[in-house]
Amino acid sequence: MRSLINFDESPSEPRWVAVNDDVMGGCSSGRSTLNDGMLHFSGALSLANNGGFASVRTVDYAVNLSKVSALVLRIRGDGRRYQLRLTTDAQYRGISISYSAGFESVADEWAEIRLSLDSLQPSVRGTVLAGPPFDRSQVRQIGFLVGDKQAGPFSLAIDWIGVD
């Protein structure tokens, strides 16, 4: 395994932004902060106004994963289910397709999570698609999403992201 993102705030590290359900009228809040050499993704999920998701993603970050079989994450969560999401230049009806895999966190315990790139499912706005296949050479964003239909606070710390 080799390192992909270390959250060390070096110039080569990507910038992260939040995208929450307020883009469609929801009331969830989510944010990312970098401190102690980790990405902290936290906030509160709200189911009001048909909402229910919060996410963070990289900005202006392209990476070629064509020789990679899996991403490995070192995380500490809160017992909730999260998604790793990768975006390429693929679109469906003019909307970017996300390729995602879910993972469980254990409250207040560090874990290494291995997510096979072969297991990624294409989707648009929560609707699973039959394709197109994931182009590992064209990754444009890496992100995390919580949308487990459980209102309340959430917190996920990511120590590093590696490739295998």
Side-chain angles (χ1 to χ4, degrees):
M1 184 187 72
R2 66 182 168 83
S3 175
L4 182 64
I5 301 175
N6 290 313
F7 305 108
D8 61 8
E9 299 186 53
S10 71
S12 63
E13 290 282 311
R15 188 169 60 88
W16 294 80
V17 297
V19 178
N20 304 311
D21 60 17
D22 59 348
V23 298
M24 50 170 263
C27 301
S28 297
S29 64
R31 66 192 163 283
S32 65
T33 56
L34 283 176
N35 56 27
D36 300 327
M38 291 179 271
L39 177 72
H40 296 271
F41 171 38
S42 60
L45 222 56
S46 170
L47 305 181
N49 298 341
N50 294 316
F53 77 88
S55 70
V56 293
R57 59 184 72 163
T58 58
V59 176
D60 299 325
Y61 182 72
V63 62
N64 182 341
L65 300 178
S66 59
K67 296 185 185 332
V68 172
S69 62
L71 290 182
V72 183
L73 318 170
R74 183 168 189 267
I75 59 115
R76 183 181 66 220
D78 53 9
R80 294 179 83 139
R81 181 170 180 81
Y82 292 87
Q83 290 179 22
L84 169 76
R85 299 169 69 84
L86 304 178
T87 304
T88 66
D89 54 2
Q91 295 193 342
Y92 176 77
R93 296 183 179 169
I95 303 167
S96 293
I97 296 172
S98 293
Y99 296 84
S100 62
F103 61 93
E104 302 290 336
S105 70
V106 176
D108 300 319
E109 287 188 22
W110 284 103
E112 285 187 21
I113 309 290
R114 184 180 192 279
L115 298 168
S116 168
L117 296 185
D118 289 338
S119 72
L120 299 178
Q121 293 287 318
S123 66
V124 168
R125 296 185 177 157
T127 301
V128 176
L129 304 174
F134 175 55
D135 184 349
R136 297 172 191 216
S137 70
Q138 297 296 317
V139 175
R140 299 291 177 255
Q141 283 182 337
I142 298 175
F144 295 94
L145 180 140
V146 60
D148 59 5
K149 300 184 185 346
Q150 296 179 41
F154 66 88
S155 179
L156 179 69
I158 303 103
D159 189 21
W160 47 257
I161 301 172
V163 295
D164 198 6

